[in-house]
Amino acid sequence: MAKSSDKRQLLIVESPTKARTLERYLGDEYEVTASVGHVLDLPKSGLAVDVEHGFEPEYQVIRGKGQLLKQLRSDAKKAETVLLAMDPDREGEAIAVHLARQMGYEGEDDKKFRRITFNEITREAVLEALSHPGPLDHNRADAQQARRILDRLVGYGLSPLLWKKISPRDPINGRALSAGRVQSVAVRLLVERERERRAFHRASYWDLKATLRAARGEFEARLVSLGGKKLATGKDFDPATGALIEERDVMLLGEEPASALRERLMSADFKVASLDEELFKTKPYAPFTTASLQQEASRKLRLTARDTMRAAQRLYEAGYITYMRTDSVRLSDQAITAARTRVAGQYGDEYLSPKPRTYKTSTRGAQEAHEAIRPAGIDMLTAQELGLTGMDKALYELIWKRTVASQMADSRQKRVTVLVEASDAVFRASGKTVEFAGYLRAYVEGADDPEAALEDRETQLPPVSEGESVDCADLIADPHETRPPARFTEAALLDVLKKEGIGRPSTYAPILGKIVDRGYARREARTLIPTFMAFAVTGLLEQHFPDLVDTSFTARMEDTLDQIAEGAVEWRDYLSDFYSGEEGFEARLKERESAIDPREASTLQLQGLEPSVRIGRFGPYLEVLGDGEAMTASIPDGTAPADLTAEQASDLLRQKAESARSIGSDPKSGLPVFKLSGRFGPYVQLGEQEEGGPKPKRASLPKGLTLDDVTLEAALGLLELPRELGAHPDSGDPVKAGIGRYGPYVVHEGDFRSLTKDDDVLTVTLDRALALLAEPKRRGRTAAKPLRELGEHPADGGVVQVFEGRYGPYVKHEKTNASLPKDLKVDDVTMEQAVELLAARKARGPGKRSRKAGGKAGGKTKK
């Protein structure tokens, strides 16, 4: 084996995992090493862009990368050629250009530094790329740099404005407020949908559902018309008023008319008036792009966009799938052949499409000549054949099925519609059968099990014929209520961003992550619910910087970045047009800053709500003015803007007004006792809060107890918690009862037991507490879910995982935890770095934490 200094080819990638995969295909003449992502970046503080001199970015070496760069420069001097094999996108191009310049690259005529790209990490693809090295693409690197600077100009311009005019940070999660070129548009989409939900007026309507019995089976049918007039359905109502849309010539059936009609039709004769059969075909879906993969992984696997991309990154770097950041739905001829071979072998020739299917990318602004996301290589191996497990297996199977299905035959189905007459009423029943499954044998969108999903797609009607009489076995009047527009899921929001041409594949997951991390939305059952802070920030931007939250304007910015990548637009000129001059962003920022009133910016006027909603230091609260004074009341955490009703607001203000009057005095201290409600729920308080004084003693109410139920005696009991129940017979130490973070409890010498729903913390006895303490301790909280699994420890065995902890992310192996350095991101940490961090942690022994260990890990690998 040759020494590294003897190797003539230095090949650099971003990831150590990718480096290890490449090493399997290359000979001793290559030294493969990893940069572990970017080596240069803009500093976190300050603008770091020289707007007076061509928008030159003031990059700095990322903390912990200095030693790595020193080694790379040394290796580059010894190498005959330096091959930069970063990912085939603009981000990868920027990393390649930065690295080359750090290693002595002298410009486009410097033949020592060459760029190679491949869409999949297979032997054939890598060797093919090595045989055709090319120059660095400065236009694509400039496009990435322009995006980075543009986002910095917007973010560092608007974010301080939000701090001054609304709040320095989100009061719920404590994170500093931020605005972003793409992030703010996405937040506005959430806010607009929430406004629609708030403005929505519900409407009700009725119809009849009949259970009909034919000669060869039963079926259900619904009333669709009466006296020749179509019945109103949900789409016939105006969502803004709840009234029928005037232009709709339909009949609205209420509860009483529906009941009367039911009575009349129960004695009517039911007869099949018409029977219509329609044969139709459906075609398979195109292979996955980044956005469609994230959408389908959300629907089928319940994965966030961030988790989807983490798993896809692992699969790509291991050589199992093609590059996962792409707008393209195109498959290579090699991939088409591989998929068709697999279809014929696994499902039979009849399931193949008559000829190879090709797909055309229609996404606005789609860039890069990549393929779609598909299994790598020419064998189309299954997840089982690759030995995949867990999340990686689930995501790979999704990609495999979608790719294989894209080359399968159409599905042939039959739709049957039956109209049944009864007096002047017409009922309709529909059925559908799958005549030939075709591609549905492999893939049904939104379903995990294609075979089970095929059964669900079939709604069979019994054979009937025109003129046939049927019996009405049951007839019920059925109420319906219109529904407000659904909130966005991650999948639905991604779909809108993609269609509007906002963002690019590499930005989707970070956008969604930042929306939640910055407190602009919370996830609830896969739904994104905007916060009151999102309303305030969106309102400010709409009023003072409307173009920055306009979808068309943002999409045009993306188009211009594409033109920079193609060399059609000079990046400095574009940034100058956007930022400088009398109409530029900098001038508008200064002008609007003085025009924005902080009180107005932090005040929301919600439709149908008389009190204002204010954004305060401790969260959103209601405010109503009267007699020159303001009455306020905190809005409970988790309240969605569209769900805050006038009645709820009135109750909160009433409770706050009543709480201003004490319910009595503590006989021991003489202090007044109050019942209060805050953002974390109801509580009782001893004494008044004086400005600048210590916080009064408070106690939260146990679950199930409301403020209306709290008496003075109960309040005093809660304020005395934890209370001593008596001495433990074995130790003589006290046993106490109290309310903690996880609810009511009893405790003895640090040994806690939760009270059951039948226990009362105010009356629980010593005997009951001793009985609870004698029970085996239940398992603690559910184990934290790892952010990543790095694989098996190379020396000691056992899985190495990455978790989020109280002090930040850390790696864990068996009983050893080691914090990640501040500059090392969760997505970038490698097994080598994890092993080094864990070893350093073990060497320090217990009780000594360090954030510095592993900061110099560069991810270099050698054969």
Side-chain angles (χ1 to χ4, degrees), residues 380-425:
M380 207 63 63
L381 297 175
T382 64
Q384 186 173 1
E385 290 168 334
L386 292 172
L388 295 174
T389 60
M391 188 188 301
D392 291 0
K393 176 186 178 184
L395 191 67
Y396 181 87
E397 285 179 337
L398 202 62
I399 295 167
W400 188 94
K401 290 175 181 177
R402 181 92 163 211
T403 305
V404 167
S406 73
Q407 293 303 313
M408 294 176 72
D410 293 345
S411 168
R412 299 194 297 273
Q413 301 174 49
K414 181 170 71 174
R415 184 182 294 113
V416 180
T417 303
V418 176
L419 295 182
V420 178
E421 291 181 345
S423 183
D424 57 344

Side-chain angles (χ1 to χ4, degrees), residues 650-702:
S650 177
D651 286 344
L652 290 169
L653 288 164
R654 176 185 57 79
Q655 290 174 5
K656 181 64 179 293
E658 291 175 354
S659 70
R661 300 186 298 271
S662 73
I663 59 173
S665 298
D666 173 24
K668 294 179 182 178
S669 65
L671 294 172
V673 178
F674 299 95
K675 297 190 295 185
L676 302 169
S677 182
R679 51 178 284 219
F680 299 116
Y683 62 96
V684 292
Q685 177 176 299
L686 180 62
E688 296 187 66
Q689 172 74 67
E690 297 182 6
E691 188 173 350
K695 179 186 281 189
K697 186 172 185 180
R698 294 171 176 173
S700 297
L701 267 58

Side-chain angles (χ1 to χ4, degrees), residues 15-27:
S15 156
T17 302
K18 188 174 176 181
R20 286 194 298 273
T21 304
L22 286 175
E23 280 191 321
R24 299 203 301 262
Y25 310 139
L26 304 178

Side-chain angles (χ1 to χ4, degrees), residues 14 22 79 109 124 146-147 156 173 227 241 274 304 391 403 409 453 484 523 539 597 639 648 694 700 714 723 807:
E14 310 100 302
L22 286 175
D109 295 331
E124 295 78 12
R147 175 190 292 278
Y156 274 58
N173 64 18
T241 64
S274 67
T304 65
M391 188 188 301
T403 305
R523 290 191 183 94
D597 176 25
T639 303
Q648 182 184 6
S700 297
R723 67 187 182 93
Y807 301 104

Side-chain angles (χ1 to χ4, degrees), residues 315-342:
L315 292 171
Y316 168 68
E317 291 179 349
Y320 297 146
I321 64 170
T322 53
Y323 191 55
M324 67 289 165
R325 294 188 181 95
T326 176
D327 289 314
S328 176
V329 293
R330 181 184 65 84
L331 290 178
S332 67
D333 292 341
Q334 170 186 290
I336 290 174
T337 300
R340 293 179 69 81
T341 300
R342 194 78 195 205

Side-chain angles (χ1 to χ4, degrees), residues 83-102:
L83 297 165
L84 297 152
M86 283 71 206
D87 288 343
D89 59 9
R90 297 174 191 170
E91 200 79 16
E93 205 69 46
I95 296 173
V97 169
H98 288 167
L99 270 173
R101 288 172 177 165
Q102 289 293 308

